[in-house]
């Protein structure tokens, strides 16, 4: 059995379908009451919306990202819907990222690797928090080597609070996040030297880099030309397509939009009357999501083209 | 309805029953095959062991800590057992810590707060990873203010990799972990000024401090005399009771032992024959766990007394 490098598969899918990562951070409150009430439970409505969204946006999504927090918040039925959402995305042949941001030591890290790379919650790629040290990445890196699974490590997040630790200057020079970046680069070199990847392939260990500050985007894109990025901060989070365009150069990346897609129906002028009358259907809100995905993909591809000319 | 400060309740329970935190990082492989096979599923065996352990160790446990990774690793049935384990500990009137080490931004952090402070997975106290910035703590701190819930923030973990980020020296002076400590202390002062806690009460925001290095333990215990500690690194992780004794001074703390209790049956001389014959019962392995909890509590209380004399 040949091992598929899921990060390269993701990069390839983004070349075919565009760089948009549709984020399924699906809170039941993101659905209008008239749609919610058609389902037996809020989690049932979420599953129906997720499936309809994946169907509708497939032609404009490089991948999907499922944020597990929203499913944990719905308790046990929520985690069933989490599993069923992953299953549905996989059944459509699309790469899926589980945004879990786990990070723990030794046997606990192994348990998390088992949890998310096997069994009910098996996914292609996960996000990880490196705070407790680089040894905490090991069980996941092993799964990358053996089975092609992918990892995005938090490098430069899109929230204002990233100045508290990530951007702190070190006495020895550089920032805290530079240490993380060096480790991600070191892992890429290890994959190359072990011939697990070829030069030009996406390294199984990518980085999360938010598109919220132009100079950071420019620096990190130049520093790590061979690393594939997961890019939050576009759309509802206030990030700019222009900065995403910078981050999409070199090895490229995938740009997440969650509420920008999920809540597109709230701003869709075509739905004003129905929205005000409380008469929306799942099909209509999904159609708004489709249009938002199409427009986002266009905007991101234009920003990427503009940057590559600059 | 008066709000109970769960961290003070935990501190109080540790004064009554001793400082031991029994860690239910229960992997099915921690049970002998002859016990496992008596249950319909590995997760069913884990639940039975957890319940028997809680019953058996209640007189020597200040609290219980449930490491969610092991339950996630068992998929959906595992998370059902996770919930049922929390329910059982609560039904026994014991404080429970959910070791989840989550950390995320804005609405995602809110979703995690909802997931672990309400509904199926409701717990008394959780662990949090502060890497993405101190704003990520806000939704949890709000729950502490409103409903008395508690938080342990990672300060100085017990693994060797904590040198990679936590112990890095900053250009502006101090270590990365000192920034986290200052934030934990600042939150305590806010709770005091808002009269949510009284001087001498445990602050709802405690800290995770491993008992793996004497000088760090001494420094952090002196720097944050009013902060209650969750102390990993004792027992199976190779930490020393003596260092735990240092950390138990001032506001005190609770010392976790997971495999030291869960796997006590493997080293129990009273079980040698039955172990070799493959004839162990759940009652016998639980009895070993009880003896280990009793011995650990004795050792920790002696270490604490020795330190307070020094």
């Amino acid at each position: 059995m040949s091992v598929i490098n899921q990060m390269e598969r993701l990069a390839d899918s983004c070349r075919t379908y565009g760089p948009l990562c549709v984020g399924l951070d699906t809170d039941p409150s993101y659905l209008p009451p008239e749609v919610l009430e058609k389902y037996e439970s809020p989690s049932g409505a979420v599953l129906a919306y997720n499936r309809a969204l994946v169907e509708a946006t497939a032609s404009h999504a490089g991948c999907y990202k499922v944020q597990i927090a929203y499913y944990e918040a719905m308790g046990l039925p929520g985690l069933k819907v989490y599993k069923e959402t992953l299953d549905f995305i996989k059944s459509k042949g699309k790469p899926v990222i589980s945004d879990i941001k786990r990070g723990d030591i030794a046997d606990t890290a192994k348990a998390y690797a088992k949890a998310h790379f096997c069994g009910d919650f098996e996914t292609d790629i996960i996000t990880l928090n490196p705070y407790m040290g680089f040894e905490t990445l090991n069980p996941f890196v092993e799964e990358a080597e053996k089975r092609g699974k992918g990892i995005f490590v938090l490098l430069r997040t899109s929230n204002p609070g990233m100045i508290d630790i990530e951007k702190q200057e070190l006495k020895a020079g550089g920032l805290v996040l530079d240490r993380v970046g060096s480790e991600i680069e070191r892992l890429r070199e290890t994959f190359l030297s072990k011939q697990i990847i070829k030069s030009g392939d996406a390294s199984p260990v990518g980085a999360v880099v938010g598109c919220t500050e132009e100079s950071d985007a420019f620096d990190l894109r130049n520093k790590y030309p061979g690393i594939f990025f997961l890019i939050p901060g576009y759309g509802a989070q206030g990030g700019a397509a222009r900065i995403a365009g910078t981050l999409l150069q070199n090895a490229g990346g995938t740009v997440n939009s969650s509420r920008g897609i999920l809540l597109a129906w709230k701003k869709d002028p075509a739905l004003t009357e129905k929205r005000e009358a409380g008469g929306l259907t799942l099909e209509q809100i999904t159609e708004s999501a489709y249009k938002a995905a199409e427009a986002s993909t266009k905007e991101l591809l234009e920003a990427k083209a503009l940057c590559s000319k600059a």
Side-chain angles (χ1 to χ4, degrees), chain A residues 179-303:
Chain A
R179 285 187 61 83
V180 178
S182 299
E183 178 64 13
I184 293 169
E185 184 61 26
R186 190 191 68 77
L187 287 165
R188 192 181 78 93
E189 283 154 23
T190 308
F191 287 121
L192 279 168
S193 71
K194 287 186 177 179
Q195 300 186 307
I196 287 162
I197 56 168
K198 293 193 298 282
S199 169
D201 285 354
S203 168
V205 181
V208 175
V209 181
C211 58
T212 38
E213 201 181 298
E214 182 74 61
S215 62
D216 281 2
F218 196 79
D219 286 353
L220 293 170
R221 188 62 289 176
N222 285 334
K223 220 172 204 166
Y224 308 112
I227 302 295
F228 193 81
F229 290 160
L230 170 60
I231 306 163
Y234 170 70
Q237 277 184 50
R242 192 170 50 83
I243 306 175
T246 299
L247 293 169
L248 289 171
Q249 303 304 309
N250 301 331
T254 185
V255 183
N256 184 69
S257 180
S258 299
R259 278 169 292 170
I261 310 290
L262 291 168
L263 291 173
W265 62 270
K266 285 201 174 179
K267 292 180 184 169
D268 189 342
L271 296 181
T272 308
E273 258 181 65
K274 278 167 190 149
R275 196 167 49 231
E276 283 167 5
L280 288 171
T281 65
L282 185 64
E283 289 65 38
Q284 286 158 348
I285 66 169
T286 307
E287 172 68 18
S288 295
Y290 167 79
K291 288 188 286 183
E294 188 181 37
S296 298
T297 298
K298 189 166 172 282
E299 185 181 46
L300 291 168
L301 287 174
E302 283 170 4

Side-chain angles (χ1 to χ4, degrees), chain A residues 58-210:
Chain A
S59 56
H60 293 293
C63 64
Y64 295 87
K65 179 171 82 64
V66 191
Q67 170 50 262
I68 197 171
Y70 290 86
Y71 302 84
E72 280 184 36
M74 293 186 282
L76 289 171
L79 285 155
K80 188 158 179 285
V81 165
Y82 174 75
K83 173 194 164 28
E84 286 167 341
T85 298
L86 295 180
D87 288 346
F88 190 76
I89 299 165
K90 288 184 272 183
S91 78
K92 295 288 159 185
K94 285 285 189 178
V96 60
I97 302 165
S98 292
D99 196 356
I100 59 172
K101 296 190 181 76
R102 302 300 193 248
D104 215 311
I105 66 173
D107 286 355
T108 307
K110 279 185 204 164
Y112 276 131
K114 189 178 167 199
H116 298 281
F117 284 155
C118 311
D120 279 347
F121 307 132
E122 178 165 0
T123 191
D124 300 325
I125 301 174
I126 58 171
T127 58
L128 288 179
N129 181 325
Y131 186 54
M132 293 175 78
F134 304 137
E135 65 175 68
T136 65
L137 307 177
N138 291 347
F140 306 94
V141 170
E142 272 174 38
E143 289 291 300
E145 290 196 2
K146 281 185 210 157
R147 300 171 57 224
K149 297 295 187 184
I151 302 156
F152 283 113
V153 179
L154 298 180
L155 180 58
R156 194 276 183 211
T157 59
S158 60
N159 59 315
M162 58 90 217
I163 57 164
D164 292 333
I165 299 179
E166 297 170 33
K167 292 259 302 203
Q168 288 295 308
E169 282 187 74
L170 295 172
K171 196 175 167 188
L175 307 174
V176 168
L177 68 82
D178 292 325
R179 285 187 61 83
V180 178
S182 299
E183 178 64 13
I184 293 169
E185 184 61 26
R186 190 191 68 77
L187 287 165
R188 192 181 78 93
E189 283 154 23
T190 308
F191 287 121
L192 279 168
S193 71
K194 287 186 177 179
Q195 300 186 307
I196 287 162
I197 56 168
K198 293 193 298 282
S199 169
D201 285 354
S203 168
V205 181
V208 175
V209 181

